[in-house]
Amino acid sequence: KQGMISCLSNGDTDTAIRIKNEFNLPAEVINSPEVQELVKKRIIKYLSDGVISHALQIKNNFYLSEQMVEEALQQGITQLLLKGNISDALQIRYIFGLPEMVYSVEVQEAVKTEMANLLSKSDISKEKKIRDSFGLSEQMVEEAVKQAIIESQQLAAEKMKPMMGQLGNLGL
């Protein structure tokens, strides 16, 4: 058990899986809170790094509860969205088949933030893809648009500052 825990802690999931299988560890070891928490953390790490195949492999080899899997997926998707990695977040959603999970508050806020970011950069095609894929409520879309407008206005004001200062030197 300690060898497997050490491997999971260090990110060596291949060896942890090999230990589990070769030593035919009993369910109480695999289902212990310590092992389950390490597996959940490892899944979150893989998902947030976009290494979806490893996350799926560890999920399939260590039997996490549905709730722990959902928590890991929410955190992984949220971290990806906050990094602006829309494609991996969408891929996770479809690979793991999670239509109901995308409505969690954390994921919705991350989607809204990323939408506002894309809108402020006039990246309408990616914004539409994320909006359609994550099913934001009308209110969330409105908030994202408002946030994008504010960000665009702030950016425009910052770009105008040097020019406005030069106008003051004209003696008008």
Side-chain angles (χ1 to χ4, degrees), residues 3 7 11 55 65 77 79 82 89 96-97 99 136 141:
C7 290
S65 70
I77 287 175
Q79 289 177 20
L82 293 174
F96 287 88
L136 285 181
V141 172

Side-chain angles (χ1 to χ4, degrees), residues 7-39:
C7 290
L8 288 170
S9 296
N10 296 323
D12 187 0
T13 53
D14 290 336
T15 303
I17 291 168
R18 216 171 17 258
I19 290 170
K20 174 194 161 275
N21 293 334
E22 286 179 16
F23 292 99
N24 201 19
L25 296 176
E28 52 271 3
V29 171
I30 304 301
N31 294 328
S32 71
E34 186 178 16
V35 170
Q36 293 287 294
E37 193 58 37
L38 286 169
V39 169

